[in-house]
Structure formats: C-alpha cells, structure tokens
Amino acid sequence: MTYNPLHPNAEERPGSGNNDVPLEERMTAEDLRTWSLAYKLSVEVYVCADRYLMRDFKSCIAKYIINQFEVAGLLAAQPTVLECCKILHIGLSPLDPLLKKVLARVGFLQARLWKSFPEYTSHFFLENPELATVIMREMVERREEDEKDDLPAMERSIIRQLTHDERMQGRPRRNRIWLDD
C-alpha cells in the first residue's frame, strides 16, 4: 500500500507515531528526489501565497509542508531543505508560524545534515551566518516548549529498551532499565 497524504487515514503514514519503519525502507532515492522537488515547489508556492495575501491557500500549503516533513522524518536532511530555509527567510515575516516550524525542524536535523552533507552544510552556514543563528534560535525555542529549565546530564547512562519478550514475561512495567557506566 502506498502512502497518499490526501487519504482519510493520512495519520497512518510511514514513520509517524509508533510505526517502526526503518529509514532505508521509508523512501527510495527516487522518492527522496521527488520529495525534495515537491518540497521546494511547495515552499515557493507558500511564499507567493503569503505575498498575494491568499490566506486559505497559504494555510493549505503550510499543512502540506508540515506533512511532508513528517513523512520524510530524518530523511528530510537534504541540501534542498537548507535552500528552502533561505527562501522562506527572505520571503516571509520573521513571525510567520510556518517559518518558525521549518527552521526549528531544520535545527533538529542539523546533525544529520552535517553527517550526510558536511561540505555543503558548512558552505551554506558560512555564506548565511544570520540564517544559521535564526535556525538555532528557533530550535532552542521549540526545545524549551517541550522541556523547561532542564539540562541534560553531561555524561549519559546507558539506556536499554525492554524487548517485547521481556515485557510479555511479566517483568515490571518499566520501559527502560538504567545501567551505570
């Protein structure tokens, strides 16, 4: 069954919620190229809708763009996403809600961008230092909405998820076992 974002059960898309779809199976290379082209076009349409005050249309495109990010998951860490941040940043008000959401998401994808496209990412951020700062700010603001005044530990404990068999054997209903380093 292929995914259709316009289908009534669109919430059941691969990679959303609790679906355990491996990254390799989520999108092929061709799907990812198509996703990148569709995403860039959607961003350009959104900027035009904003410019010409087409609020209802802009709202529909915003929902589509957010859905596109959800569908791609970590695979959204593509050079096109950085280019589109620049398009959004130049074409929209700094208070635009979609701009803030996209910049925050790209902030969370930075590690994957640096890992997959180190030269492009480095060049992009060196050429656009103001955008790099805005991306970081939006990511931090989004993170603070989830966890207020809580710093992560400087040293991590090893976290091991209980397997399905361990849960079914009547072990305590703890989802994680913390082991000391």
Side-chain angles (χ1 to χ4, degrees):
M1 182 174 143
T2 59
Y3 171 70
N4 178 355
L6 302 177
H7 189 271
N9 294 328
E11 308 81 50
E12 299 172 10
R13 65 185 163 270
S16 68
N18 294 323
N19 295 340
D20 294 326
V21 178
L23 282 176
E24 308 83 50
E25 296 176 14
R26 189 175 301 164
M27 285 188 184
T28 64
E30 185 177 329
D31 291 338
L32 199 50
R33 282 191 302 274
T34 303
W35 180 90
S36 292
L37 291 171
Y39 175 72
K40 186 172 183 176
L41 178 62
S42 299
V43 164
E44 291 170 351
V45 169
Y46 183 84
V47 171
C48 287
D50 181 67
R51 183 175 298 139
Y52 296 109
L53 303 174
M54 302 170 76
R55 290 189 180 127
D56 292 339
F57 186 56
K58 182 180 161 186
S59 173
C60 290
I61 296 297
K63 288 176 186 175
Y64 178 78
I65 289 172
I66 291 167
N67 187 49
Q68 287 294 89
F69 266 113
E70 295 295 331
V71 167
L74 291 173
L75 294 175
Q78 298 294 314
T80 306
V81 172
L82 291 173
E83 295 168 19
C84 290
C85 285
K86 188 173 181 178
I87 293 168
L88 289 168
H89 182 68
I90 291 170
L92 299 173
S93 158
L95 301 176
D96 186 86
L98 181 69
L99 174 66
K100 291 176 161 291
K101 290 175 186 176
V102 167
L103 294 179
R105 176 57 63 99
V106 171
F108 288 116
L109 292 173
Q110 278 188 68
R112 185 68 59 136
L113 284 162
W114 282 100
K115 182 179 178 182
S116 301
F117 308 97
E119 289 179 28
Y120 181 85
T121 305
S122 177
H123 180 73
F124 180 84
F125 284 126
L126 286 173
E127 295 242 333
N128 302 286
E130 180 184 332
L131 189 54
T133 304
V134 174
I135 289 171
M136 184 64 77
R137 184 185 68 225
E138 293 302 332
M139 181 190 71
V140 169
E141 286 179 10
R142 174 65 176 92
R143 173 107 171 129
E144 285 180 348
E145 288 176 12
D146 295 338
E147 297 178 23
K148 298 196 186 299
D149 297 330
D150 188 25
L151 290 173
M154 292 181 74
E155 290 189 24
R156 294 183 181 196
S157 297
I158 299 172
I159 300 173
R160 181 175 71 82
Q161 295 283 348
L162 290 175
T163 65
H164 178 70
D165 292 337
E166 290 173 332
R167 287 190 301 257
M168 299 311 287
Q169 292 174 358
R171 302 229 183 214
R173 290 198 60 136
R174 290 181 291 183
N175 290 336
R176 296 182 177 175
I177 297 174
W178 295 86
L179 304 172
D180 292 324
D181 288 336

